[in-house]
Amino acid sequence: MNLKDLQLYVFSGRGHLEQEQHYYEKCYETWKNIWKQTFLELDGNDKLYSDNFTRQDKILGLFYKDVCVAVAGLRTSNFLFKNSEDDSIFSSWNLDAIAKLIKEGSRVMVCSNLAVHPDYRGEISYGLTLKNLITYLATKQFLESDCDSMAGTARVNRGANKVAYSNGAHLIQKSEMHGVEVDLVAFYKSELINRVGDLKGDSIWNKRIDFTEVKFNKTLRVA
């Protein structure tokens, strides 16, 4: 895979612009197909509702040419409000784990719904996988936010936990979700902001097209 052919798009979960529709729909289809199969394997039921996608504040869609090859959902929670503790995304987190997550501030970005197209799994370049790349790009989005930390629930059997640690995450607690072992992890902005960047990831990040910064009837701004 030629990394120059990778393009990152940033969408609002709801989607609202004609300019983004082609890529948004492809991103949604990749997410839906992968997560329906995932839930079928985990729960024996492939029922999947679109609001798991549309409620995300930002969705990162990484494209290889015209194929969406990786997806990550990002959503902000503020633990000054008690409803954050009751959000289903934190169903595996107990109060002690949440206390560690918000030790540097109440605003948390939740990274979830990671998906990699089955035809593009494994190394795409020497030592680089799309799973690692989309996680790195999520940390870049986190650093541009006003959040203090970023939370993740990383499946152990898929190696998502190892990818999280390689991108600066801390293990908060071992847990279980959908009958499989998961690591509850946290990324802290105060640490990540001083990390050395990744040249391959940064080159993709710097040429991203962010549809969340486009207003109706405005010209598309390329970040």
Side-chain angles (χ1 to χ4, degrees):
M1 178 182 289
N2 190 335
L3 299 184
K4 292 182 179 179
D5 290 326
L6 288 172
Q7 175 65 54
L8 177 67
Y9 296 97
V10 184
F11 309 99
S12 163
R14 290 185 177 276
H16 62 280
L17 297 169
E18 289 186 10
Q19 301 104 302
E20 72 181 322
Q21 184 177 3
H22 174 77
Y23 299 104
Y24 177 92
E25 297 284 11
K26 283 182 172 289
C27 183
Y28 175 70
E29 284 301 311
T30 291
W31 170 85
K32 183 174 73 171
N33 291 337
I34 293 171
W35 278 99
K36 279 174 73 72
Q37 182 61 36
T38 298
F39 283 130
L40 184 62
E41 294 171 359
L42 294 177
D43 300 333
N45 186 343
D46 67 351
K47 188 66 177 178
L48 182 68
Y49 295 99
S50 65
D51 56 350
N52 289 303
F53 187 87
T54 60
R55 73 174 182 153
Q56 304 299 322
D57 295 323
K58 290 181 182 285
I59 292 172
L60 306 184
L62 187 61
F63 280 69
Y64 176 61
K65 298 181 179 178
D66 201 42
V67 179
C68 182
V69 293
V71 182
L74 299 166
R75 188 164 57 88
T76 299
S77 292
N78 189 339
F79 279 87
L80 288 177
F81 297 89
K82 291 294 185 181
N83 62 357
S84 293
E85 295 178 5
D86 298 329
D87 193 300
S88 61
I89 200 69
F90 291 107
S91 61
S92 297
W93 296 66
N94 61 28
L95 293 179
D96 181 59
I98 290 173
K100 293 176 182 177
L101 174 64
I102 63 173
K103 68 177 186 177
E104 296 190 359
S106 65
R107 291 187 61 83
V108 175
M109 178 170 280
V110 182
C111 181
S112 66
N113 289 269
L114 264 72
V116 174
H117 195 295
D119 293 343
Y120 296 89
R121 291 172 183 169
E123 288 192 354
I124 58 169
S125 180
Y126 180 74
L128 180 66
T129 65
L130 286 173
K131 187 188 300 182
N132 197 302
L133 182 55
I134 195 69
T135 302
Y136 178 76
L137 294 170
T139 68
K140 294 289 286 186
Q141 187 69 67
F142 162 53
L143 288 174
E144 291 216 344
S145 74
D146 62 354
C147 293
D148 306 293
S149 62
M150 183 167 73
T153 302
R155 287 175 63 184
V156 173
N157 66 339
R158 292 291 187 179
N161 57 335
K162 294 179 181 178
V163 170
Y165 302 138
S166 70
N167 282 283
H170 290 267
L171 172 65
I172 299 298
Q173 195 174 80
K174 294 282 187 179
S175 189
E176 184 178 293
M177 179 176 273
H178 297 290
V180 297
E181 183 182 1
V182 295
D183 284 359
L184 309 181
V185 303
F187 302 77
Y188 299 108
K189 181 175 283 186
S190 61
E191 295 178 358
L192 286 187
I193 204 165
N194 295 316
R195 284 174 62 92
V196 176
D198 176 89
L199 292 179
K200 294 177 181 177
D202 287 349
S203 66
I204 294 168
W205 175 254
N206 291 336
K207 65 171 186 169
R208 72 195 182 280
I209 296 176
D210 190 341
F211 289 107
T212 69
E213 296 187 5
V214 181
K215 306 300 182 184
F216 288 107
N217 300 318
K218 297 289 184 179
T219 302
L220 175 65
R221 186 182 78 82
V222 178

